[in-house]
Every structure is written in structure tokens, then in C-alpha cells.
Amino acid sequence: MPTPVLASTRAELASLLDAHRGAGRRVGLVPTMGALHDGHASLMRVARDQVGDGPVVVSIFVNPLQFGEGEDLDRYPRTLEADLAVCEREGVDVVFAPAVEEMYPGGAGPRDPDMTTVQPGGLADLLEGASRPGHFRGVLTVVAKLFGLVRPDVAVFGQKDYQQLALITRMSADLCLGIEVIGAETQREPDGLALSSRNRYLSDGDRAAALALSRALRAAQERAAYGVPAARWAAMSVLKSEPGVELDYLALRAADLGDLPDHPEAGTVGRILLAAKVGTTRLIDNMELRFS
Ligand code: PAF
């Protein structure tokens, strides 16, 4: 059978996975919205390491429920042929690429007011959740559906969407789903730009301006030894010096996204996270902070 096998219905997916499960193999899932890049490829490699000769499943689904009014649902890149080539290169076994009606059956689709959805905890109201109300309800609902359809042993998500990763980890634990959620490191261009499907919207000028994001995060890392206000100030001065960046938020939080005191105990690991508009494109990025 050619690799990967493409399943577009839930029934096709189930029959492909039954054979593997019958043989007692571990199943790995990498949920994506497509427009795959090297960051996604690295998630597939992490999944492969986890499941050995078990199947790695990549889902490709642009989930309408996680996009708000006026967001980029319609223009989000859909590049199935190129995505299949990435999956083939990475030795993915199954690509699940359903239509919207397959994931949200019934006439009303993803906006069905009677549909059961996953309501995230308070962590979803901060940061991305404050700027994009309802976004994480949409993310957790579709990820729960994918977990139900694939029933993976392990699922791999990128740390670039750090808050999403934290919420999915909590969902798996809180709802006793029994799925190990792994966060894989953010992949970057040599000049520091975090890989993102949305980078393809950037003009050359936008792309140059967008480098201020990773520069700001690195500046904060370098000042973390002096405490949270110093680290924040270092990041802000980089961002303010780049007129092409319109900052949405910059936050320094504990690793679990809880509050941080101004001067955390030595050894504390935190996170600095930001979102900004560059041209017409909204980008997010984050890095670890080590306080000494
Ligand atoms: O990170 C993404 O690409 C999406 O939010 C996800 C997890 C695939 C859910 O649609």
C-alpha cells in the first residue's frame, strides 16, 4: 500500500486503524490544519519516535469552529497535494483529511447550537483567549473529536501554540482521555522567525519586521536573571523600535501560565508569550525564561 493512505471519511479511518490496533501497535496522532511546513514535519518525527512501527496519523482539517468573525478562515491556505508530499517524506502512515460535513455532520454544521462542545477552563480566557473569544472552545472540541476518531496513544502538538498545548494537556487529564500529549519544540528559520503556516501571508517588508518578535523574546531571555520587569522591558524596547509590529499582548507567565512574581526564586522556569499583527497577519510566538 502506498504511504500515506488518505482517508477522507470516518469509516475509512476506522477501518485503516483497526488493522493496526488489532496487531497491538501504538497509534500516534499529529493534528494539523494543513499548509504543512518543517515545523509540522518535526511533530511527525516526534510521533514516529513514540510509536515505533505503529501508525503515525496526521489529520488535516481547517476547523471552522475555532475561527472568529473576520478571522482568516476563508483565506487559510489549503494545500493538500503539497501536504501529502510532506507526509510521504516523513513516512506518515495515514492522512485523515475530512470535509467539514464529515467532522460536523447534520444540517447545522459547526454552528449547531445544540451540538456538544468542550468548554475549556479559565486558562482559555487569557492571552489568545482574550483576543479570540471562543477560539479554544473550537480547538478543544475538534481535538476531542479527533481523539475520539483516532483513539491515539500519543498526540503531538507544537510548543509554538503554547497555550493551546497547555489546554489540550489539561483536557486529556481532566476528561480522563488517557492520551499522552507531547509538546514539541518550535522550529525556526535561521534568522529566528518561528515557522508558521501564516508566514506565507507576509510580504518581504512584513517578514523583515516580524523578526522583531523572536528578537524581543531573546532579549527577554537575556535579561531574565534581573527579574520579570527587566525581562519585560527588554522585550518591549525591541518591539517598540519596530514600527511594522502592532503588539496585541506580551505576557510573562509561569510555565503552567499561572502568575509570576516580579522576582521568581532561582531556578524558576517561566514563559514569555506574545501576539502581534504584522501587516495584515497575526503572529504568535513564545520562549522559555529561566530565572536565576
Ligand atoms: O494547531 C492547530 O493547527 C490547530 O489548532 C489544531 C490543533 C489542529 C486544531 O484544529
Side-chain angles (χ1 to χ4, degrees):
M1 228 192 270
T3 311
V5 183
L6 178 62
S8 49
T9 66
R10 296 180 293 173
E12 283 164 1
L13 177 70
S15 77
L16 285 167
L17 290 178
D18 279 353
H20 288 285
R21 256 191 227 100
R25 299 191 186 106
R26 271 164 70 74
V27 177
L29 172 65
V30 180
T32 80
M33 297 205 299
L36 302 180
H37 48 66
D38 284 351
H40 295 110
S42 77
L43 308 184
M44 297 170 201
R45 291 195 282 273
V46 171
R48 171 61 63 211
D49 283 351
Q50 291 290 321
V51 302
D53 66 353
V56 171
V57 181
V58 170
S59 63
I60 297 179
F61 180 64
V62 182
N63 172 35
L65 196 60
Q66 69 189 74
F67 287 79
E69 292 288 317
E71 290 188 357
D72 59 344
L73 173 62
D74 292 335
R75 75 162 178 157
Y76 199 86
R78 284 143 171 104
T79 57
L80 186 59
E81 284 308 307
D83 292 348
L84 289 174
V86 174
C87 293
E88 181 170 8
R89 223 167 35 237
E90 296 302 328
V92 166
D93 300 276
V94 177
V95 172
F96 178 49
V100 173
E101 307 72 54
E102 192 67 22
M103 287 301 284
Y104 295 101
R111 304 281 170 214
D112 179 353
D114 294 326
M115 180 175 68
T116 304
T117 59
V118 179
Q119 180 63 43
L123 179 54
D125 299 334
L126 320 168
L127 309 173
E128 282 304 282
S131 299
R132 305 179 68 188
H135 170 65
F136 287 121
R137 175 176 151 265
V139 170
L140 293 194
T141 300
V142 82
V143 171
K145 281 161 139 339
L146 290 167
F147 281 2
L149 291 169
V150 176
R151 287 184 282 129
D153 297 279
V154 54
V156 187
F157 297 84
Q159 288 182 2
K160 187 173 138 311
D161 294 288
Y162 191 82
Q163 188 179 9
Q164 166 176 287
L165 171 64
L167 283 160
I168 293 169
T169 306
R170 276 299 298 256
M171 175 179 77
S172 185
D174 291 349
L175 301 185
C176 310
L177 302 182
I179 294 163
E180 187 185 353
V181 176
I182 296 186
E185 269 196 30
T186 302
Q187 302 296 305
R188 296 181 182 279
E189 302 280 7
D191 58 12
L193 184 69
L195 298 193
S196 162
S197 303
R198 291 187 167 99
N199 289 352
R200 67 187 70 197
Y201 302 149
L202 299 172
S203 67
D204 290 349
D206 294 342
R207 199 195 170 290
L211 294 180
L213 273 54
S214 56
R215 273 209 319 274
L217 299 177
R218 291 226 160 91
Q221 282 183 321
E222 280 161 21
R223 299 298 288 178
Y226 300 94
V228 169
R232 159 176 271 280
W233 187 87
M236 281 307 293
S237 37
V238 174
L239 293 167
K240 279 189 185 141
S241 69
E242 178 45 77
V245 168
E246 191 189 319
L247 186 63
D248 177 354
Y249 63 78
L250 173 78
L252 286 83
R253 316 283 307 183
D256 65 358
L257 296 181
D259 292 333
L260 264 183
D262 278 357
H263 293 281
E265 270 175 38
T268 303
V269 178
R271 207 85 197 173
I272 178 165
L273 309 98
L274 59 72
K277 216 150 169 211
V278 183
T280 56
T281 308
R282 190 169 180 281
L283 298 175
I284 58 174
D285 200 355
N286 69 85
M287 284 186 195
E288 189 178 85
L289 288 179
R290 288 186 173 273
F291 296 95
S292 53

